[in-house]
Amino acid sequence: MTDTGMKVMVVDDHDVVQWGFRLLLGEQAWVEQCLAASNGGEAVELAAKLRPDVALVDLFLGEESGAELSQEIRKAAPATRILLISGAGWISPEAARAAGASGFVSKDWSAADVARAVRMVGKGMTVFAPQSERAPASLSRREREVVGLMAGGATNKEIAGRLFLSPHTVKDHTSALYRKLGVRNRAEAVRRAERLGLTS
């Protein structure tokens, strides 16, 4: 991979966040083109058509798992390297690699550090946020309520209605659950929570 002419795809379901990353990456001399997708379907379609060098993928896209989406993107465009990013979640290097990702960074990182991580992944390196950035594993009362409703099959929208929360707040809670339970998606979260007796 040369150090110029990189094509980067940003996959994030928040318009402002997506816009911010596109602005940041578009200013980098080594980025030739910056694409954007708001969901998994758009991301896979864009990847297959335009073959980006790097896809910066939010770990949690609404009800979708960024880790699972990484695998789909890699199937559609095997040469595309994935960098997962999250503001509230965490994924182990082992789980990220298993999903086909070359790195994971936090949205708490500075703009310069995120851009540097994208560049490094594009050049064939791996970048992983240290485990020290992971939150403690104890679940709050609200997180237990959310995972209990998830176990009953409720969607984020339904959970928001039941608990009188905004969908964005529910997404934050599910992100925290995935991080604390060390899982990648809803099904794994429910299974782990049930094994730990957290859904009763």
Side-chain angles (χ1 to χ4, degrees):
M1 178 72 224
T2 61
D3 198 27
T4 57
M6 233 182 254
K7 201 183 296 181
V8 182
M9 176 172 68
V10 176
V11 187
D12 197 294
D13 60 336
H14 283 103
D15 289 344
V16 173
V17 174
Q18 187 189 100
W19 174 81
F21 281 132
R22 290 187 74 184
L23 187 65
L24 165 68
L25 295 167
E27 290 176 343
Q28 309 305 312
W30 43 270
V31 174
E32 178 182 294
Q33 187 178 10
C34 191
L35 319 165
S38 300
N39 57 56
E42 286 179 12
V44 171
E45 188 178 334
L46 267 179
K49 188 193 304 184
L50 300 173
R51 309 281 173 175
D53 298 298
V54 182
L56 182 64
V57 181
D58 191 353
L59 190 57
F60 305 107
L61 289 160
E63 306 265 327
E64 298 179 272
S65 158
E68 291 180 349
L69 176 58
S70 298
Q71 297 172 314
E72 294 177 39
I73 291 172
R74 296 274 293 173
K75 281 180 193 169
T80 297
R81 294 174 64 80
I82 311 290
L83 177 61
L84 292 167
I85 189 163
S86 180
W90 186 87
I91 186 170
S92 70
E94 296 77 20
R97 287 191 182 100
S102 298
F104 167 73
V105 296
S106 169
K107 288 180 183 176
D108 292 336
W109 285 20
S110 70
D113 285 342
V114 171
R116 192 175 300 116
V118 171
R119 187 179 193 181
M120 288 172 68
V121 165
K123 291 172 73 174
M125 293 177 261
T126 56
V127 182
F128 288 98
Q131 189 166 357
S132 60
E133 293 186 16
R134 186 179 180 181
S138 58
L139 299 189
S140 68
R141 179 182 61 81
R142 182 64 87 192
E143 287 162 357
R144 284 172 176 258
E145 290 174 341
V146 169
V147 78
L149 290 169
M150 283 168 60
T155 64
N156 280 9
K157 186 176 180 181
E158 290 166 344
I159 293 170
R162 291 276 292 278
L163 298 179
F164 305 102
L165 300 172
S166 73
H168 181 74
T169 299
V170 173
K171 182 184 175 183
D172 286 345
H173 285 313
T174 57
S175 296
L177 280 168
Y178 292 176
R179 178 186 71 236
K180 291 179 179 182
L181 296 173
V183 299
R184 295 184 294 170
N185 55 48
R186 293 170 74 86
E188 290 179 5
V190 169
R191 283 197 296 272
R192 178 70 60 84
E194 286 175 341
R195 282 200 298 272
L196 297 173
L198 301 173
T199 58
S200 53

